[in-house]
Amino acid sequence: MSGSGTRPGFPGIAVLEAQEERLTLRRFTYEDAWALGSALVELARERQAPVAIDIRRGGQQLFHCALAGSSADNDAWIDRKRRVVERYGESSLLVGSRFHAKGTTFEDSSRLDPDRYAAHGGSFPIRVEGAGVIGTITVSGLPQVEDHAMVVEALERLRAT
């Protein structure tokens, strides 16, 4: 492997790092969680995406929605991807990409239980200026790069307001 972290159809590590830096928020309130979750529901409905959506701050779930075509399995994926963000403080896609860049996989090298942790795209840290990572936003139901892209798009909309 080249060590670049780039896989066909996947954004590179530098792109993922830049997204996280760019999408640091000034604040994150209950109203922001509702607006972010609602924006994700709107995006998913426009695309007829069978996803589940989860937003958490610390240990509190602030928003959850399961759209038609999603299942309890998506909630299990949400939990597994979210745990990666909580542990590493970076998006689940970035964590998986870092392992790939080292020529291995998260499952083979992280030493974490794959029934509890999944470094697949779709979970993103909610990072607030001066506070660091305070929560997570997660989408599950699409291919991992699309889950990740949907979260990024919704965060970009929130940041623009």
Side-chain angles (χ1 to χ4, degrees):
M1 298 206 177
S2 69
S4 70
T6 302
R7 296 179 273 179
F10 283 68
I13 289 174
V15 169
L16 296 170
E17 289 172 339
Q19 286 174 345
E20 290 193 22
E21 186 171 327
R22 182 178 78 250
L23 295 172
T24 297
L25 304 172
R26 290 184 303 278
R27 68 183 196 309
F28 191 74
T29 65
Y30 289 95
E31 291 78 19
D32 293 326
W34 179 259
L36 186 56
S38 298
L40 277 165
V41 169
E42 182 180 319
L43 286 170
R45 285 184 173 154
E46 286 170 6
R47 297 167 189 175
Q48 298 179 333
V51 298
I53 300 160
D54 184 80
I55 301 174
R56 293 176 186 252
R57 185 173 60 198
Q60 185 179 21
Q61 185 178 54
L62 302 182
F63 187 96
H64 187 87
C65 181
L67 297 173
S70 66
S71 70
D73 194 45
N74 296 116
D75 292 328
W77 274 97
I78 283 172
D79 289 341
R80 292 170 62 217
K81 294 190 281 188
R82 174 183 46 80
R83 286 184 190 107
V84 168
V85 175
E86 290 170 348
R87 185 172 185 110
Y88 289 86
E90 298 177 322
S91 76
S92 53
L93 188 60
L94 177 55
V95 172
S97 294
R98 287 190 192 285
F99 278 89
H100 185 268
K102 294 175 187 172
T104 188
T105 66
F106 179 82
E107 295 78 12
D108 289 339
S109 298
S110 71
R111 306 187 83 157
L112 296 171
D113 181 353
D115 288 335
R116 296 189 43 79
Y117 294 87
H120 292 256
S123 192
F124 202 93
I126 298 171
R127 185 175 280 112
V128 174
E129 292 173 6
V133 176
I134 58 118
T136 58
I137 175 169
T138 311
V139 169
S140 175
L142 301 171
Q144 62 174 317
V145 173
E146 292 176 39
D147 281 345
H148 177 88
M150 188 176 283
V151 170
V152 168
E153 186 174 345
L155 279 167
E156 286 172 338
R157 286 184 181 187
L158 179 66
R159 184 120 168 82
T161 60

